[in-house]
Every structure is written in structure tokens, then in C-alpha cells.
Amino acid sequence: MSAPSLAQKLAILADAAKYDASCASSGGAGRNSLKSKGIGSTEGSGICHSYAPDGRCISLLKILLTNFCIYDCVYCVNRSSSNVRRARFTIDEVVNLTLDFYKRNYIEGLFLSSGVIRSPDETMAEMVEIARRLRIDHAFHGYIHLKMIPEASRDLIAQAGLYADRLSINVELPTDEGVKRLAPQKKPETIRVSMARLREKIEEKSEPTMRTKKRQRFAPAGQSTQMIVGADAATDSDILSTSARLYSGYHLRRVYYSAFSPIPDSSSALPLVRPPLMREHRLYQADWLMRFYGFERNEIVAGRPDGMLDLDIDPKLAWALVNRHAFPLDVNRAPREMLLRIPGIGTKVVTRMLDIRRYKRLRIEDVARLCQSIAKVRPFIVADGWSPRGMTDEENLRGRLVPAPKQLSLF
Amino acid sequence: MSPVYHTVRLASETDFDGWRDAARRLALNEIEPGAITWQVGDGDDLFSDATPLPEAPPGATMNVPRDFVEKAKAVICHRDPARFGLLYRILFRLRSEPHLMKIASDPDIIALREHEKSVRRDIHKMRAFVRFVKVGQGEDERFVAWFEPDHYIVERNADFFVRRFAGMRWTILTPHASADWDGDSLVIGPGATRADAPLEDAANDLWRTYFTNIFNPARLKVKAMQAEMPKKYWRNLPEASLIPDLIKNADRSAREMLERMPTMPAPHHAKVQEKHWSKPEEHAPEDATSIPELRRQAESCRRCPLWQDATQTVFGEGPETAEIIFVGEQPGDQEDIAGKPFVGPAGRVFDEVIDEAGIAREKLYVTNAVKHFKFEPRGKRRIHQKPNAGEVKACRWWIDHEIGLIKPALVVAMGATAAQSLLGKAIPITRMRGEIVTRDDGVQVFLTIHPSFILRIREPDEAQAERARFVKDMQAVKALMGV
């Protein structure tokens, strides 16, 4: 077999990375290339440079360094028993691809992951070297996200943080039992300790040093993780409790939920069905409620006997329907925490309502002009010129608010 | 008196300074919004008989919220010809309604916000979808892009490209204006046509390869894609021509993926397994004969369910020859992360106090009654939860072994949980504090509080007094031991 061309390698190693959910390039410290006359900048919020027909944003060049792997994780297309074509980039190939794509404004930077060849440290060292060459040799100031190999040494983690904006370690599956069953060689304990070390390091470096009062750079965009949804029997309640633990324990910026997608040459231990995209979506919504709306995990899944989120309605509306006694809320008096619980109203609208309240009373027309669809909000609020009367307790309230079922497609 | 009409001529579509100067003069002269016509350039002479702009009354001042100025600078880039009038109307109203900017439900403010959002989105999309084509090699290397924005945003957006591509020479051409950076200075020039920009870059093929392969056909979501990447942008994106075929074939590709039967493992698989994963199973642990061995065994402790949420087992620390063992309650947030006992806030109090009492920490063995952190997640924090009797009992197995191996002369129980663990029953610590209880096996247990107790006292004087009592306890321990 002749050596594959760069294009062939790119095809193989991008294909191998397409199951990874994260492509975010946000949350980093601001940086630009004015002084160095190199290239690249990050300004806090990421930019999606394209979108694939799967609706997912393309922000970073998301590739694997290699898809050779000594691990045999059942859900992974790159597991050692899989028959996919294998390829391996050289360090310079990844560096040059990143620079060439960046200069044409195709991407915000690089998201580098890898199968593990020979040893975790050897693989991790090559990934760190790619980041180092980009940053130091080429004065590249774009975004770099490195997927850490959990078994990599402390020293390599410390170096990775110097060059990368974000580091991530995948928890793989929501429960330890799931990992043990589907990724028999991975150790949940090691993954947790690696995340703890990252948190420790990020906190240590974010303290101003005694001498200079300046903060050292270490993964300014923090750490994130990904778990696969739908490959094992974990319920949404299990998944959200894992997320709550991860956010509180390791201060992750994001937990990504990746609906398990069938992979070619798959193992029979897995569900060979379309990925549960709606479930993934609901989990992201629930995650959002925990991070920005002050909901606790148990509140979100309370009233769901099977531990699964309602697929027909969003989790906030589901919560409101179960907790009707808390409504209607008077938008002219309710505190912020309660306003945040009104279905159909987001954080921005709440801030605007509170601003307006300082100067005038809110009429229902005001609320209507602020939110996207007043129909969804009306049963839950009282405003000047509006009271829902019995509507809030109406038996068919759910029916009114749930969109009519669509004709199912044949496939 | 019939109203006096004014026509304002602005130098360009984005002449903010011109607008501001005119708006200021007009507003200070109380000219109603309806009496003003805004024009860009020389225009026709329909209103040539309009009166010249009035001077601002001497000494008159006008304060405008910063928020308005910032939004106005963005909105002036909007293509809507009515934007100048909208901005003036708001400015005029601000004089009698100083909080107007905060009334987000006001129709003028909604229009302002919508315009600003539209400009911001256009700016963002330009940053996203400008595609540079490389021309020339070596010294002559330059990058040229063609882009068609909705609004007049080139000038406002050019600095972003300077910050990002400082080390390149580049030109962005649009129908309305162009921006050129030669590595040192930025020049905003006139508009251009599509034909002025090069079409294909050698890297486009590689980019299309990437685009094709990063797409997962099992997750088709065409609407989501088009919401973010509307078709109007497609004609200038090299990868967009692939989209129709990718969509058309997605169903087939996905079904092929589903239907492809699992095959036999790849040939190299057995070798990999043999080489990396065939280490012999560790045989069942016998009773540990040293602290390090015990610590290793405790790493995989499953005696109670607390391991599930904790990061790691936090085992005792200190010399195996220690004369005293200090027992606390359980690891906290920081101990759980570091994997070491007594490194958090309570640990610092403990360190200070024993130092004050003249006890050297390196001579002590410090451990906890429960070795896993028990908590309730709340947002970004973990709220400490008291271990229950079952958990304390389950973990006693480790404490007993630690005591058995170290054989200390004294064990100090800090707090009720530690006392319960060591003595097997609930002890009223505050009442029995400072006492020594001798267990059936001869182990002597000194009772005192947990240092976190001091941290929980709000009243500074009270906390200081409590801390002093704790120092006294430690001095008693020191005297007992003669360390």
C-alpha cells in the first residue's frame, strides 16, 4: 500500500474526528497578532466559519493526529479492533494545515485529538509539540484546543496548558459502569484525577504571582469534557447528575453531550439506530438551566418517573407544568430568580424587564414586545392589563402549548 | 408659525461625526424630528431652499448616555435610509426621557436594538465568511477576498482583520468599499466588483476535503445549517457547492453505515491487545503490612457508595512511626482535588494552631474518619455533607488498620464524626472536650473540636476565643506526649 497523500490523510483523520461534539472557540483571553506581526487573534467569543449539513458549526480544524489506537472502546470508530483505514499526520503537516487554513480565514484554530499509539506520553508529547511550534515558531495567536490523554504525565499537562486555550479530557460515558463495560481499558478514576489536576493547575496559575502581579498563562479558556449519550442505558437523570458533579467539582466551562452516532464497522454491543438528536438537544437545554437559570438537577428531573426528560417540550416548560402552584408570576414584582423560571423567557429578557421596572410598570404589550412568543408566556404571568385567571390550572394547558405532532417520515 | 424644514447632508453613508454635529445643533434648537430630512452626498436639489443648520446656542450642553452613542455608531452602518431619522428621534426624546435607553419595550428602542443586532450580525458573518485567496509567492504573497455585506460595515470591521492578520498583506473587496492592509497601514478605498478578485485558491480542494469528511451523515439538520449560513453567502464559499450532494446522499450514507455488519477485528488488533493489555490480573490483596500498601488498597475502596461522586480516596499522611494520629472528619473540596488530607481552609487553621502549640506537623500522622468527600453539587461549588453513621462505620476498617500499623501512643479525635468513628458511638464533644478515653484495646483517644468549627463562627471575638481554646487543647496534647 502506497503512502497516503496529505488529502487522503486529511479525509481519514477528519472523518475520525467527526463524532466529537465540541467545536467551540470561545471563552479565551483576548489576544492578537499586532505586536508579533504573526497571525491570529482571539477576542472572547468564537466564530463559526462554516456549517456542515448536520447543522454543526465548523470553527476549528478538528482532526486527529492519528487514528491508530491501542484502546478498544466499543463505541469508537478508531478502536484497535476496527477495520477503518488508518493514517497518521506528521507534526509539520498539522502545523502547516492549520496555518494554511487559518490564513485563508477558514478556521479559528486547531482542535487536536488523537488515538493513542505506543504510549499515552509519547502521543501527548507530539500534540504538545504541535501546539508549541504553532505558538513559538510561527507566532500563531489563534485558538488551540488539545484533547488530553488522561494517562499523560503531569509535566506534559503543564506544558499543554502553556500553549493551548482549552484543554479537555473526555469522561466518555455518564457512569463508571458504562465506561467499564464499553471502554474496558479506560479508568474512570484516572479520568477524574486528571480533571482534578487540571482544575488545580488552572487555579494555581490564575493567582497573580508574588513578584510580578501578573497572571501566568494556563489554558485561559478552561477545561471541558464530552460524554456519549445513548450508547448505554444511563438515564437523563444519571447524565445530569454526572454533569452537576463535573461542573461543581472541576469547574468545567462546558460539558458536551454527543448523541451516540452509529459508526461504520460497529460492534454488536451497540444500538445501531439514528442518533437520539432530540434527547441530546433536551440535555443541552437542561444543562443550560443548571448553569444560567439557577435550576438544580433534581428539580429538572423531578416528576419524571423514568428519569428521562420530556422529548416533546423543553425542560423549563416541563418544570413549569409540574409546578403550576408557583404561577402565575407577577412580572412587575417577582424577583429575578423567579422571572428566570417563566417558560419562554430568557436571561436577556429578564434583565430587560428588571431595567424597565425601575421606571415604569410592565403591561402585557411590553412583555409581548420583549419575548419571542407571548402565547407560551401568557398562562404563566400577571402583567398590567393581563391575568391568566384559570388558564394556569387548565387541564389542557400542555396540549395548548405543545406543538401539534408532525407527520412521521417513512425513513 | 409654519415649521422650518431642515435638510442635513452627510458626507457618506457612515458619516457618524457629521450626523452627530448636525443632530446636536438641531436638538439644542428644539427642532422636531419631523422637520428634518437626512441625505447622503450632494443628492438632488429638491430641498435646496431649506434653511442652513442653526448654530448651537452658546453654552448649551447635551448629555447623552454612552450606551446610546455606542449603539448609534453601529446603527449608522445599517443600510436603512431611515436610520438617521430614527437616531435623531431617540436623541431628541432622550432630552425629556433620560431613561429611555432602559425601556427595552419602547418601539423606537426596539427598532434601535434590531438595527444594531442586524449590523452586529453582518459584522460577525463577514468575520466568518470572508475567504482569502492567496496570490503570488514569497515576497509577492498577498491575500485577496471578495465579500458582499448587507450593510456599510467594511470600515467598522477592518480593524478586526488587522488585529487578526497583522503579519499578512491582504485586501478585502466589497461592492461598497474595500480595505487594504500592507502590513503597516490600513487604507479604506472605493468599492469593487466580483471580477476584481481572484476566484480559486489551491487550498480550496483541501478545505473541501475537510468539509466533506467532518460531516456526519447520520445527523442531517439542514434547517439548523441554513439558519446560520443562509444561502446568500453560499456563492462566495468554496465549500458550499458540495452541500446539495452531501444532503442528497446523506440518507444513503447513513443507512450504509447502519447496515454495514460488524466485521472481524482488524489484523493488528490481537497484537495490540497482547502488547498493551495482557498484564496479569493483580491477585486479591492480602492484609497490608505497611501504610503505603494500605494506601494503595484504599484507592479502590468500595465499602460505601461515597467513592462514586468523589474524585479520589484521600488517605492518611505522615510517618509510619508517628506517636500521634490526628483524625478529622472527611476530606473537603480541596482535599478531594489534591488527594491529600488537611490542605483546605480547616487544614490551614490546623497547621497554624499546632505550630503555635509547638507541635511539628511532619511528626504527625493526619487522617480522616471518612476517606471520600461527601457533597451536594450546587452550581460551581460542592457543599460539604456530613457523613452518616453507615459511612463512618464502613470507613472504620481503614482507621483501625492505620492505628494497628502505626501503633501511636495517642489518637486525637477532632470533632464528633472522628469521635464516633474511634469510639463507636456518638459523643457530646463540647462537653467532653479535653478528656481522654481509653478504648478496650488500650488505644487512648483525646477529644477535641474540628478546626472547621472555628471557621464557622461569625462573631470575630468568639472565633478568637474558640481558637485560643483549641490552641490550649493542642498544648495539652503536646504535654501528654512530650513531643
Side-chain angles (χ1 to χ4, degrees), chain A residues 86-98:
Chain A
R86 308 279 172 169
R88 183 181 178 182
F89 278 128
T90 65
I91 290 176
D92 278 330
E93 279 170 342
V94 176
V95 169
N96 292 334
L97 260 181
T98 308

Side-chain angles (χ1 to χ4, degrees), chain B residues 119-224:
Chain B
V119 169
R120 199 171 357 106
R121 189 174 156 89
D122 201 32
I123 282 176
H124 186 79
K125 291 302 179 195
M126 179 174 172
R127 293 175 180 188
F129 298 144
V130 152
R131 293 285 192 262
F132 284 115
V133 172
K134 189 174 106 168
V135 292
Q137 291 287 336
E139 288 286 290
D140 297 325
E141 184 182 278
R142 285 178 61 228
F143 292 84
V144 183
W146 169 251
F147 189 72
E148 295 164 53
D150 285 343
H151 305 299
Y152 306 109
I153 55 168
V154 173
E155 193 166 0
R156 190 173 168 83
N157 215 4
D159 280 343
F160 168 82
F161 290 92
V162 171
R163 290 193 297 275
R164 171 156 292 192
F165 300 108
M168 287 165 24
R169 289 161 61 204
W170 53 260
T171 308
I172 299 172
L173 303 171
T174 80
H176 161 256
S178 63
D180 181 83
W181 171 257
D182 65 1
D184 289 310
S185 57
L186 176 73
V187 177
I188 303 293
T193 65
R194 179 74 187 93
D196 297 325
L199 276 174
E200 268 288 302
D201 188 290
N204 282 349
D205 278 337
L206 270 179
W207 177 241
R208 281 188 282 258
T209 300
Y210 177 69
F211 187 77
T212 307
N213 286 284
I214 201 68
F215 159 57
N216 184 350
R219 302 179 54 112
L220 201 61
K221 269 187 174 175
V222 180
K223 262 195 204 148

Side-chain angles (χ1 to χ4, degrees), chain A residues 288-355:
Chain A
W288 209 258
L289 291 184
M290 294 200 295
R291 286 188 299 145
F292 302 109
Y293 289 80
F295 280 76
E296 296 293 334
R297 194 233 16 151
N298 357 356
E299 291 182 289
I300 297 170
V301 290
R304 306 294 308 169
D306 56 356
M308 299 300 268
L309 296 171
D310 197 326
L311 290 181
D312 295 334
I313 52 175
D314 69 81
K316 196 175 176 190
L317 178 56
W319 179 86
L321 288 174
V322 175
N323 293 278
R324 295 191 198 189
H325 55 269
F327 299 98
L329 285 166
D330 183 345
V331 293
N332 281 304
R333 298 178 54 184
R336 172 186 286 272
E337 311 84 82
M338 289 314 291
L339 293 177
L340 285 170
R341 301 211 162 211
I342 302 172
I345 285 188
T347 48
K348 257 191 204 155
V349 173
V350 168
T351 305
R352 285 183 184 144
M353 292 203 302
L354 290 170
D355 274 345

Side-chain angles (χ1 to χ4, degrees), chain B residues 74-369:
Chain B
V75 169
I76 207 116
C77 300
H78 201 284
R79 69 166 170 218
D80 177 6
R83 66 195 181 281
F84 306 114
L86 168 71
L87 290 175
Y88 183 75
R89 197 161 60 242
I90 294 172
L91 179 80
F92 194 79
R93 287 182 59 193
L94 273 168
R95 307 198 67 206
S96 54
E97 303 168 67
H99 306 302
L100 180 59
M101 291 300 291
K102 291 284 184 200
I103 311 297
S105 57
D106 181 278
D108 276 345
I109 299 301
I110 289 176
L112 181 77
R113 197 168 66 226
E114 291 299 326
H115 276 56
E116 190 229 12
K117 197 168 140 193
S118 175
V119 169
R120 199 171 357 106
R121 189 174 156 89
D122 201 32
I123 282 176
H124 186 79
K125 291 302 179 195
M126 179 174 172
R127 293 175 180 188
F129 298 144
V130 152
R131 293 285 192 262
F132 284 115
V133 172
K134 189 174 106 168
V135 292
Q137 291 287 336
E139 288 286 290
D140 297 325
E141 184 182 278
R142 285 178 61 228
F143 292 84
V144 183
W146 169 251
F147 189 72
E148 295 164 53
D150 285 343
H151 305 299
Y152 306 109
I153 55 168
V154 173
E155 193 166 0
R156 190 173 168 83
N157 215 4
D159 280 343
F160 168 82
F161 290 92
V162 171
R163 290 193 297 275
R164 171 156 292 192
F165 300 108
M168 287 165 24
R169 289 161 61 204
W170 53 260
T171 308
I172 299 172
L173 303 171
T174 80
H176 161 256
S178 63
D180 181 83
W181 171 257
D182 65 1
D184 289 310
S185 57
L186 176 73
V187 177
I188 303 293
T193 65
R194 179 74 187 93
D196 297 325
L199 276 174
E200 268 288 302
D201 188 290
N204 282 349
D205 278 337
L206 270 179
W207 177 241
R208 281 188 282 258
T209 300
Y210 177 69
F211 187 77
T212 307
N213 286 284
I214 201 68
F215 159 57
N216 184 350
R219 302 179 54 112
L220 201 61
K221 269 187 174 175
V222 180
K223 262 195 204 148
M225 170 193 66
Q226 284 198 16
E228 298 296 339
M229 194 165 72
K231 278 197 166 155
K232 66 180 177 190
Y233 294 111
W234 288 19
R235 62 172 178 274
N236 293 320
L237 295 171
E239 69 274 20
S241 59
L242 302 171
I243 294 174
D245 273 350
L246 288 176
I247 294 173
K248 206 166 73 198
N249 298 328
D251 221 38
R252 204 187 61 224
S253 313
R255 236 175 305 153
E256 273 172 17
M257 235 157 74
L258 295 175
E259 283 160 7
R260 211 180 302 171
M261 289 298 286
T263 47
M264 292 295 290
H268 68 275
H269 174 62
K271 244 191 268 170
V272 169
Q273 287 284 315
E274 167 74 21
K275 188 171 164 208
H276 293 281
W277 309 114
S278 61
K279 289 181 195 109
E281 276 287 297
E282 279 183 40
H283 43 81
E286 290 158 28
D287 257 10
T289 54
S290 71
I291 289 288
E293 213 176 307
L294 196 64
R295 173 181 295 123
R296 215 167 33 248
Q297 287 179 8
E299 276 169 16
S300 48
C301 177
R302 301 286 183 267
R303 287 174 181 275
C304 78
L306 287 186
W307 64 273
Q308 288 177 358
D309 289 340
T311 299
Q312 53 194 324
T313 306
V314 179
F315 204 70
E317 223 178 46
E320 226 167 322
T321 54
E323 280 188 78
I324 314 181
I325 295 182
F326 276 82
V327 183
E329 186 190 56
Q330 64 152 342
D333 175 75
Q334 292 187 30
E335 287 82 8
D336 171 80
I337 294 296
K340 292 167 193 270
F342 283 78
V343 294
R348 279 192 289 279
V349 172
F350 176 71
D351 280 352
E352 283 168 23
V353 166
I354 59 167
D355 188 53
E356 219 169 304
I359 303 175
R361 170 137 178 199
E362 57 274 16
K363 288 193 177 168
L364 307 177
Y365 185 87
V366 183
T367 192
N368 280 306

Side-chain angles (χ1 to χ4, degrees), chain A residues 33 37-38 40-41 43 49-50 53 62 70 80 83 104-106 108 199 250 262 265-266 274 280 366 369, chain B residues 105 127-128 131 163-164 167 183 201 204 210 219 221 239 251 257 262-264 266 269 276-277 311 333:
Chain A
S33 51
K37 285 288 158 86
S41 61
E43 308 202 339
H49 288 268
S50 192
K62 188 158 59 170
I70 60 174
S80 76
N83 277 297
R104 287 158 177 85
N105 204 39
Y106 298 158
E108 286 288 288
R199 172 186 147 187
Y250 312 116
D265 193 28
S266 173
R274 283 292 172 102
E280 181 189 276
D366 292 314
R369 279 190 224 114
Chain B
S105 57
R127 293 175 180 188
R131 293 285 192 262
R163 290 193 297 275
R164 171 156 292 192
D201 188 290
N204 282 349
Y210 177 69
R219 302 179 54 112
K221 269 187 174 175
E239 69 274 20
D251 221 38
M257 235 157 74
T263 47
M264 292 295 290
H269 174 62
H276 293 281
W277 309 114
T311 299
D333 175 75

